[in-house]
Amino acid sequence: MTEKTLETPRQVPPLNATIQAGEMTKKMYKRIHERAKAGEPVVWASACNADTTQAILQAMGMVVTYPENYSALLAVKKVAIPYLDVCTSDGYSSLICGYAQTTLGYGRLVKEQGGVPPNSPLGGMPKPMAMVGATQGCDARFKWLQSQSRYQNVPVYCIDGSSVPSDLTFSTTNPMALKLVKYLTDEWKELVRFLEKNTGKKMNLDDLDAVVDNVLQVRRAWWECYELRKAIPCPMSSKEMWPCITPGWWMANEKESVIFYQNLKKELQERVSKGIGAIPNEKYRLLWAELPPWHSLNVPTYFEKFGAVCVVESDIYYPQPPPPIPDTCHDPYEKLAWNLFWAWSRLNEKAQKESGSHMVQQYLEWGRDYYCDGAILHFLVSCHPMTFPLAHTREVLLKYAHIPSLVIEGDIIDERMYTEARMKMQAESFAETLESHKKIRQREGWPVAHRTTL
Amino acid sequence: MATTTALKGLDRVKDVYRNRDKRAKELKSQGKKIVGYYCCYPILEMMTALDLVPYRILGDPNEPIVQSDRCLPTIVCPFVRSTLDLGMKGKYDFLDGFASCHSCDSFDLCHEIWPQYVKIPFFTNLWVPHNDHAPSIEFFLACLKKFQDSLEKYVGRQITPRQMAGAIKLHNEHRSLMRGIYALRKEEPPLISGSELQEVIIAAMSLPVQEGNELLKEVRSDVTKRANRIESRPRVLLWGVEIDDSSFVKILEDAGANIVMDDTCIGSRHYWSDVELTSDPMLGIAKRYLVDILCPRTFREHAGTYQGDLEHRFRYIKEYCREYKAAGVILATMRYCDCHAYDAPLVSDYLKESGIPVLYLEHDYFLAGSAPIKNRVQAFVEMIAQ
């Protein structure tokens, strides 16, 4: 799929933030290589929701490199496929996580060639001293780094703290909640011991406190941008937000990231006050579940041609409303734990009455709060945990909000899973579905953003 | 518990295997409560202590999936899709309860999906940490208490220490008896085939533990006394996932292998460790279920180097091969099973470096397209026979 084949001319100027996000990414990798060259300890880490691992690694002065981010970059630059092929040629299934395949392939090439492969985008990833996996979000996030030791041959740690089951609602007094918070803090303290042992660096709690506060500020500023996207017309589409996750997910320890989202907020406020939408003639509003096609971030453009804009997306990246951390909590580990627990459980009370699932409930809440007319459900060949709830999501959106869905099959990394012709056909027929369901919803008194002729 | 059958031993195994739910339905009509469970982690001792009958949820690789496509994408674990499909078709309507667990992503998400689509009166979920070090054991103890509380609330009474001790004893005896039957495969040729043993396991998982224990004693007696010997063939260890139908093992046997040992989910992982009798039974239960069950879903503390880690994590497979005189190993993973898919190349590295030949198969659970599997196994068996 090439960008040239997508026909809709952009009439709304791009947000400055989307350009700045790209610059921040380049700067991030430049700094990583400078620090690695200066001998600072490099750690490859899995992303964790609510930035928990990152806060600890950054506070200890690690040079944190995220294979998941690097894989996405390779896919954006459309150079990921050779790495996928190297991975599968070395015995791995082609169905494991696309991020994992890319970086396992990368790891194999590094091992074979004795260093970063030539022409690696952004200088590649420097060799790690240790690797830190996590069970949050999916099994792949620890299995893949455990596997990566085949090529890197360095110690690996796994932080546990799996997704909260839907029968545990957020509470600051429930004994099980308190046990979970203690478990999370214990796991992170074990991580610190692991890093101290393998890198020689020590944790300073004041540094951690400062980073945690920054992380919470970043997430708040980012969340405020999401809130502005509820406006009609929506000032920022999903394809503009995806590149903007960089400061929030990979650089949440940086003051620069707070400023980034504050600036983005200003841009969005200006658009909202002037009634400027992400697309000129917004007619339908869509939610995108779950992960984006990094190799083809312009896919939503197919829907924009008939006035449909993706207004909200990707629960796993969503910064969440500010967590109600207990006033008595001053320990930075505990602040992180309450933040994480909040992120994974805040909708469980509603989920128990409706969808049964935290993630699916988020889509339903978005459907309501963002006045969505439809949903794009992106079934991913190589990401099973993020795909697993999506068929149920389709049922729930229809049952509780009369929102129709379109299933598109593809992948986060492997662009061979897409065909442009099929996408065009699906988008065109979905437009008709949106219109007919909108009429029904309007007639039945459901809230709609743009009224249609009945 | 009264049983209406006069069948014993291997004949009873065949009968139970073919009609898995028959005994469960009989017990239900006598007033017993049947609780279905996924995977190796829900605590069977707690269920037995409360006089609940644990019943392992299995799929059917011969049954086309029709209903669960409504609520599960096709690109997720086919075993889970199959089990939910059976549930939606009413095949598990006799269950009074369902115990899921956080063992892997798919099973974990089932605790959200099943209550939405299958009508079973009681649902519970066991949260299982992925690490096995001290903080995880401490947290797991809290998870066990939550699980136990949910069962006790459902039944309306608490487990007494005596009941717990009795249940642990029964299940330890069960596991010991099954290991005794496994040991019959150390002989050359093995006294019981892999496919037969798979049926014994599945039958045992369909019965209350006391009946299962009696059945295993009868099976051992039948097997050691029977005259017909299994043909001598290359000896193979089977590593992998949920093999819930003897047909899969039969395919490997028809290709020329004797499956003399396994390291699978519906196999040795379920039976190889007992609950230690500790002063606080929860400690013994926590250790057995979290630490001693050797499944790829659990992260074992990394040994610091790749080779060291392989030795630390997979040495037990090499020991199985030595003990059961396996000449080769078949790694059978299922499509969309992440935990096993990441480990398979590493297990392969380790075993090959130890001089043990390996064949890696990735299958889709359903048996319709098994010819390529048979061909590859035939070639592998010919190679290891040389």
Side-chain angles (χ1 to χ4, degrees), chain B residues 337-355:
Chain B
C337 175
D338 287 340
C339 292
H340 286 83
Y342 285 98
D343 272 9
L346 277 62
V347 174
S348 178
D349 280 357
Y350 177 69
L351 293 175
K352 283 179 183 170
E353 275 162 31
S354 306

Side-chain angles (χ1 to χ4, degrees), chain A residues 91 93 97 139 143 146-147 150 153 156 158 160 166-167 182-183 187 355-357 384 387-388 391-392 395, chain B residues 70-71 73 105 111-112 116-117 129-131 133 136 138 146 296 302 306 313 338 342-343 349 360 362:
Chain A
S93 167
C97 170
D139 297 335
K143 294 303 296 181
Q146 195 179 40
S147 252
R150 202 180 187 204
N153 199 16
V156 182
C158 169
D160 193 24
S166 55
D167 58 353
K182 180 172 188 303
Y183 180 45
E187 283 286 292
S355 65
S357 154
H384 321 127
T387 302
F388 193 105
H392 177 52
E395 299 285 305
Chain B
R70 181 183 145 209
C71 51
D105 291 332
H111 91 271
E112 298 180 341
Q116 300 282 320
Y117 295 98
H130 279 282
N131 284 345
H133 56 189
S136 304
E138 185 186 332
K146 182 172 175 287
H302 195 262
Y306 179 57
R313 289 167 62 201
D338 287 340
Y342 285 98
D343 272 9
D349 280 357
Y360 178 13
E362 184 182 65

Side-chain angles (χ1 to χ4, degrees), chain A residues 184-445:
Chain A
L184 292 170
T185 58
D186 286 347
E187 283 286 292
W188 294 326
K189 287 173 183 171
E190 284 293 318
L191 168 63
V192 168
R193 274 189 272 276
F194 168 83
L195 292 170
E196 286 178 346
K197 180 184 164 191
N198 287 289
T199 68
K201 291 262 191 171
K202 295 286 180 202
M203 170 61 90
N204 178 306
L205 282 182
D206 290 336
D207 291 344
L208 180 60
D209 209 30
V211 169
V212 169
D213 281 345
N214 200 82
V215 163
L216 294 173
Q217 282 183 58
V218 166
R219 296 181 70 77
R220 185 183 187 109
W222 189 11
W223 172 73
E224 288 172 353
C225 297
Y226 265 83
E227 289 291 286
L228 286 167
R229 295 169 71 198
K230 292 176 179 173
I232 300 162
C234 176
M236 183 182 194
S237 71
S238 299
K239 70 181 192 201
E240 294 172 296
M241 182 53 91
W242 283 320
C244 292
I245 72 168
T246 292
W249 261 63
W250 315 117
M251 303 171 70
N253 61 307
E254 305 278 353
K255 277 277 172 267
E256 190 184 353
S257 299
V258 180
I259 295 167
F260 173 86
Y261 290 115
Q262 288 172 342
N263 287 341
L264 173 57
K265 183 181 169 184
K266 284 180 194 155
E267 283 195 271
L268 297 179
Q269 279 170 329
E270 190 182 342
R271 281 193 173 187
V272 169
S273 66
K274 292 177 178 170
I276 298 172
I279 64 171
N281 300 309
E282 181 185 292
K283 201 172 161 195
Y284 306 109
R285 295 163 68 91
L286 307 176
L287 71 87
W288 181 288
E290 167 57 21
L291 294 178
W294 291 109
H295 49 81
S296 307
L297 287 177
N298 264 330
V299 161
T301 307
Y302 285 110
F303 304 94
E304 289 175 5
K305 282 190 282 186
F306 53 82
V309 61
C310 290
V311 299
V312 68
E313 67 292 317
S314 307
D315 174 58
I316 198 83
Y317 300 141
Y318 180 55
Q320 311 284 343
I325 295 174
D327 293 335
T328 50
C329 175
H330 302 295
D331 179 87
Y333 293 111
E334 282 188 25
K335 284 186 200 171
L336 283 174
W338 285 115
N339 186 28
L340 182 66
F341 177 37
W342 167 249
W344 281 111
S345 69
R346 66 183 185 88
L347 294 175
N348 277 347
E349 197 170 337
K350 286 188 182 180
Q352 284 170 20
K353 294 173 188 144
E354 291 183 313
S355 65
S357 154
H358 189 277
M359 181 182 271
V360 178
Q361 192 67 29
Q362 180 66 82
Y363 299 136
L364 180 58
E365 298 300 311
W366 278 344
R368 292 166 173 152
D369 294 346
Y370 285 75
Y371 293 94
C372 292
D373 301 296
I376 309 294
L377 305 180
H378 190 206
F379 283 21
L380 302 165
V381 162
S382 77
C383 183
H384 321 127
M386 295 297 121
T387 302
F388 193 105
L390 293 185
H392 177 52
T393 299
R394 179 179 53 200
E395 299 285 305
V396 163
L397 288 174
L398 211 48
K399 179 178 175 183
Y400 289 102
H402 214 93
I403 294 173
S405 301
L406 171 68
V407 171
I408 57 174
E409 291 192 359
D411 194 52
I412 31 177
I413 300 292
D414 194 345
E415 59 184 304
R416 295 170 295 193
M417 298 294 149
Y418 262 122
T419 52
E420 190 180 344
R422 186 174 67 182
M423 179 62 56
K424 260 179 117 167
M425 201 170 66
Q426 284 184 292
E428 280 162 10
S429 54
F430 192 48
E432 293 174 24
T433 305
L434 288 174
E435 183 62 23
S436 67
H437 272 81
K438 193 163 188 169
K439 285 179 176 163
I440 294 170
R441 290 171 69 237
Q442 216 173 282
R443 203 162 38 229
E444 292 183 1

